[in-house]
Amino acid sequence: KRQLTTIAPVFPNAGLNQTFCFDDASVSLIPATQPGGIWLGPGVSLLAGNYAFDPSAAGVGTHAIIYTIFDGTTCETHDTLVYKVFPMPDVDAGIDQQMCSGDTVSVSGIGSLGTLPYQFSWTPTSGILSGSSTANASIQLFNNTAADVVESYTISLTDSAGCIATDIIDITVHPLPTVDAGVNNTLCNQPIPFTLSGYSPVSYTHLRAHETG
């Protein structure tokens, strides 16, 4: 006569479902209960006795990550987690720009890929007149030195999955030239030629007081 003993199985708790961006770093796989089991699934690896999940190795999509235990008996139980990997967005800050000190330039970021909708931000915020939290910003910069100054601005795009892309644009700010027209002169209202002198730099065009442009 054979006697059968029924053993109540022990079920593990593998933890919580998670979401990832494709470029996220690997994470360790640690169950909430019943350690010592085996992890299986896309992107799962075992290194030096520790299991890890790599989003880029798993690829974009929804993945079943299975945790299995034996609990010292012939009973095998498991728990399944759902890991979702989102694609990375991309953003382009546009071509580098040049401006004279005190001028205003417009910069425009263009987003693509990832998961709509997007949120934008420009940093640093110094010099930004408007649009620091949009794709399009207006920037005014000053340069009081004698040489060109390059200012860098970073646009950050965050998509609805929380994945982030960045790009940098450089703006070269040229200093304003120093102009000296020379001393004032008094002239007779006669058709007598008069040579302007004492001005600098000599490569600039002189305009009479009533002229513009």
Side-chain angles (χ1 to χ4, degrees):
K1 197 173 182 180
R2 176 176 293 180
Q3 183 177 357
L4 298 177
T5 302
T6 301
I7 302 174
V10 177
F11 290 91
N13 180 356
L16 300 175
N17 298 331
Q18 296 189 54
T19 59
F20 300 87
C21 298
F22 183 82
D23 282 354
D24 284 349
S26 298
V27 295
S28 298
L29 293 173
I30 302 174
T33 64
Q34 304 299 322
I38 298 173
W39 291 91
L40 294 173
V44 174
S45 62
L46 176 62
L47 182 62
N50 297 312
Y51 285 94
F53 173 76
D54 184 351
S56 61
V60 173
T62 302
H63 308 289
I65 307 301
I66 302 172
Y67 180 64
T68 302
I69 64 169
F70 296 94
D71 197 33
T73 69
T74 56
C75 297
E76 176 183 319
T77 57
H78 67 268
D79 189 19
T80 301
L81 300 179
V82 176
Y83 280 6
K84 188 169 184 179
V85 180
F86 289 94
M88 293 300 300
D90 191 23
V91 65
D92 184 358
I95 61 174
D96 294 340
Q97 298 198 37
Q98 300 185 53
M99 63 185 294
C100 292
S101 177
D103 284 351
T104 301
V105 296
S106 296
V107 292
S108 298
I110 300 176
S112 61
L113 306 176
T115 308
L116 294 170
Y118 302 141
Q119 291 183 337
F120 296 91
S121 65
W122 289 92
T123 55
T125 56
S126 58
I128 297 181
L129 299 178
S130 62
S132 61
S133 299
T134 67
N136 306 310
S138 179
I139 300 175
Q140 183 181 41
L141 296 173
F142 296 89
N143 179 8
N144 297 319
T145 71
D148 289 345
V149 172
V150 178
E151 300 286 352
S152 297
Y153 283 83
T154 299
I155 186 172
S156 297
L157 179 156
T158 303
D159 69 8
S160 62
C163 301
I164 299 174
T166 61
D167 194 23
I168 297 175
I169 185 173
D170 290 332
I171 302 175
T172 300
V173 186
H174 303 295
L176 295 177
T178 300
V179 179
D180 183 0
V183 298
N184 296 331
N185 290 276
T186 301
L187 303 177
C188 296
N189 187 16
Q190 294 178 333
I192 301 174
F194 179 80
T195 300
L196 296 172
S197 61
Y199 54 85
S200 67
V202 296
S203 60
Y204 284 82
T205 301
H206 291 274
L207 299 177
R208 291 191 294 272
H210 65 279
E211 293 182 329
T212 61

